Amino acid sequence: MALIRKQATNRVLMVRPALFGYNAETATNNSFQKETGVPEAVAREAKKEFDSYVNLLRDHGVDVWVIQDSKTPHTPDSIFPNNWFSTHITGELVLYPMYAPNRQQERKLPILATVGEMEGVERIINLSGYERDNCFLEGTGSMVLDRVNRIAYCCVSERTHLKVLEEFCTELDYRGLMFSATDAAGAPIYHTNVMMCVATDYAVICLECIRDEEERRAVEESLTTTGHRIVAITNEQVEHFAGNMLELRSEAGESLLIMSAEARRSLTEEQVALIEQYSTIVAPELSVIEKNGGGSARCMLAEIFLPQAE
């Protein structure tokens, strides 16, 4: 039976935080993070936002698997599991090297064992050993995957090392397309998934972030030749997490584009109309998580792509 690759899945894993909060270890190169409020209140509000988000996804026909995080060791960013593992329709579970020491601890044995025992996992590719060499690749934060055409779009940062990307591409039979991207202030974009999203029929991307004309042209050509209509967003919209989106499928097969309410509010009517030609927009309120964690709706979703799960 021929393998059918799909860009969007109906199944996701989410980690409910135990003690979510501002992470000083990641703030060194994540300009989106802003410490706000009393830590206890932030943690409490983040749980409310998380639970509302889960319910919203389920209301739209998404199969959501929730794992409860533990209080020890303290992992303030455990709410973003897509950075430390990914799954693939060819049966691989990939574990990634993480930049911050307290994010490396997100691979807690109970959670790791649960993920590793998912039906359909046939091979585990453990890249976490690169942490010893200070070489990192933070999963589908560092990479935006075109799963159908096997292309890994990847912007250069302290959290994304070419050597690790090359091993990922070799193991998974992907082609890496690496480029430099900076925010409005000229600082490197820390994760590719805050400035672009690849869906089945279109791609939302901030081309302004790619300053080098040749690199920008290469990314545009790659997207258009693989049949994606480009929805261009601005640097200002990226600051409102408009690049941090993910396409999912409802149980009925409907295309859903997941983004935060903040991201949705930043879009123009024209951009919304273009997206809605293909997908229904699902936009949870995530302001506390966004401000303190520097990540948004897409970062909270670890897609499940496994043979038996499809």
Side-chain angles (χ1 to χ4, degrees), residues 43-64:
R44 185 171 58 250
E45 290 305 312
K47 286 181 182 178
K48 291 180 182 178
E49 289 183 348
F50 178 92
D51 293 339
S52 295
Y53 186 10
V54 170
N55 291 334
L56 183 64
L57 289 173
R58 287 173 172 165
D59 287 345
H60 281 82
V62 178
D63 184 0
V64 184

Side-chain angles (χ1 to χ4, degrees), residues 103-138:
R103 293 220 62 192
Q104 295 167 11
Q105 293 181 320
E106 290 173 30
R107 298 187 297 264
K108 299 174 183 179
L109 283 178
I111 295 179
L112 187 56
T114 303
V115 169
E117 292 171 2
M118 284 189 292
E119 183 182 5
V121 173
E122 298 173 1
R123 185 164 69 111
I124 297 176
I125 300 170
N126 188 357
L127 303 176
S128 64
Y130 279 104
E131 289 166 355
R132 294 188 295 269
D133 303 321
N134 289 319
C135 297
F136 311 106
L137 185 72
E138 296 193 334

Side-chain angles (χ1 to χ4, degrees), residues 6-14 62-67 81-82 85-90 92-93 114-116 118-121 140 147 246-248 298 301-310:
K6 298 177 182 178
Q7 183 63 21
T9 181
N10 173 247
R11 298 186 67 208
V12 294
L13 181 147
M14 300 178 70
V62 178
D63 184 0
V64 184
W65 177 17
V66 176
I67 296 180
N82 76 306
F85 85 92
S86 67
T87 61
H88 301 267
I89 190 60
T90 39
E92 292 87 1
L93 165 65
T114 303
V115 169
M118 284 189 292
E119 183 182 5
V121 173
T140 52
R147 292 177 180 264
L246 180 68
E247 184 190 24
L248 295 177
R298 191 275 170 268
L301 303 173
E303 303 142 279
I304 305 302
F305 283 93
L306 289 167
Q308 285 86 342
E310 286 297 296

Side-chain angles (χ1 to χ4, degrees), residues 41 46 94 103 124 127 135 167 205 211 217 237 255 268:
V94 186
R103 293 220 62 192
I124 297 176
L127 303 176
C135 297
E167 180 160 350
I205 182 170
R211 314 287 175 164
R217 190 179 309 113
Q237 289 173 321
S255 173
T268 66

Side-chain angles (χ1 to χ4, degrees), residues 7-299:
Q7 183 63 21
T9 181
N10 173 247
R11 298 186 67 208
V12 294
L13 181 147
M14 300 178 70
V15 176
R16 190 173 189 269
L19 288 170
F20 171 82
Y22 177 83
N23 186 353
E25 291 186 14
T26 58
T28 56
N29 52 26
N30 181 347
S31 61
F32 291 85
Q33 285 180 246
K34 305 287 187 296
E35 189 171 12
T36 64
V38 178
E40 293 79 8
V42 167
R44 185 171 58 250
E45 290 305 312
K47 286 181 182 178
K48 291 180 182 178
E49 289 183 348
F50 178 92
D51 293 339
S52 295
Y53 186 10
V54 170
N55 291 334
L56 183 64
L57 289 173
R58 287 173 172 165
D59 287 345
H60 281 82
V62 178
D63 184 0
V64 184
W65 177 17
V66 176
I67 296 180
Q68 175 62 55
D69 189 22
S70 59
K71 291 185 178 181
T72 56
H74 180 210
T75 47
D77 280 333
S78 61
I79 203 168
F80 305 129
N82 76 306
N83 297 142
W84 68 265
F85 85 92
S86 67
T87 61
H88 301 267
I89 190 60
T90 39
E92 292 87 1
L93 165 65
V94 186
L95 305 178
Y96 295 98
M98 304 289 289
Y99 171 81
N102 63 10
R103 293 220 62 192
Q104 295 167 11
Q105 293 181 320
E106 290 173 30
R107 298 187 297 264
K108 299 174 183 179
L109 283 178
I111 295 179
L112 187 56
T114 303
V115 169
E117 292 171 2
M118 284 189 292
E119 183 182 5
V121 173
E122 298 173 1
R123 185 164 69 111
I124 297 176
I125 300 170
N126 188 357
L127 303 176
S128 64
Y130 279 104
E131 289 166 355
R132 294 188 295 269
D133 303 321
N134 289 319
C135 297
F136 311 106
L137 185 72
E138 296 193 334
T140 52
S142 289
M143 302 178 292
V144 171
L145 300 179
D146 178 341
R147 292 177 180 264
V148 174
N149 298 289
R150 301 197 300 278
I151 302 170
Y153 294 93
C154 208
C155 66
V156 180
S157 79
E158 287 184 288
R159 306 196 191 189
T160 301
H161 197 283
L162 177 60
K163 183 177 173 182
V164 195
L165 175 65
E166 288 176 342
E167 180 160 350
F168 170 88
C169 290
T170 298
E171 292 284 355
L172 275 296
D173 191 25
Y174 269 67
R175 174 172 67 87
L177 202 169
M178 209 162 190
F179 54 91
S180 297
T182 55
D183 62 21
I189 298 286
Y190 83 104
H191 273 166
T192 314
N193 77 358
V194 300
M195 52 81 64
M196 73 178 293
C197 156
V198 174
T200 301
D201 297 305
Y202 59 95
V204 179
I205 182 170
C206 180
L207 295 169
E208 293 177 4
C209 290
I210 308 174
R211 314 287 175 164
D212 183 276
E213 289 186 17
E214 188 173 332
E215 290 184 341
R216 184 167 61 247
R217 190 179 309 113
V219 172
E220 282 188 90
E221 288 179 358
S222 179
L223 291 170
T224 55
T225 56
T226 50
H228 294 92
R229 188 171 182 180
I230 291 178
V231 181
I233 57 175
T234 66
N235 268 305
E236 183 178 359
Q237 289 173 321
V238 167
E239 292 175 6
H240 293 274
F241 296 97
N244 198 239
M245 303 173 175
L246 180 68
E247 184 190 24
L248 295 177
R249 292 278 173 186
S250 71
E251 188 177 15
E254 178 189 10
S255 173
L256 309 171
L257 188 64
I258 316 301
M259 66 184 76
S260 72
E262 176 70 12
R264 171 66 180 80
R265 285 188 288 265
S266 77
L267 298 180
T268 66
E269 292 181 5
E270 291 77 15
Q271 290 167 328
V272 169
L274 183 50
I275 290 167
E276 289 183 337
Q277 289 182 33
Y278 304 96
S279 305
T280 296
I281 293 174
V282 179
E285 288 283 357
L286 300 171
S287 60
V288 171
I289 292 170
E290 287 177 326
K291 288 173 184 174
N292 290 273
S296 188
R298 191 275 170 268
C299 302

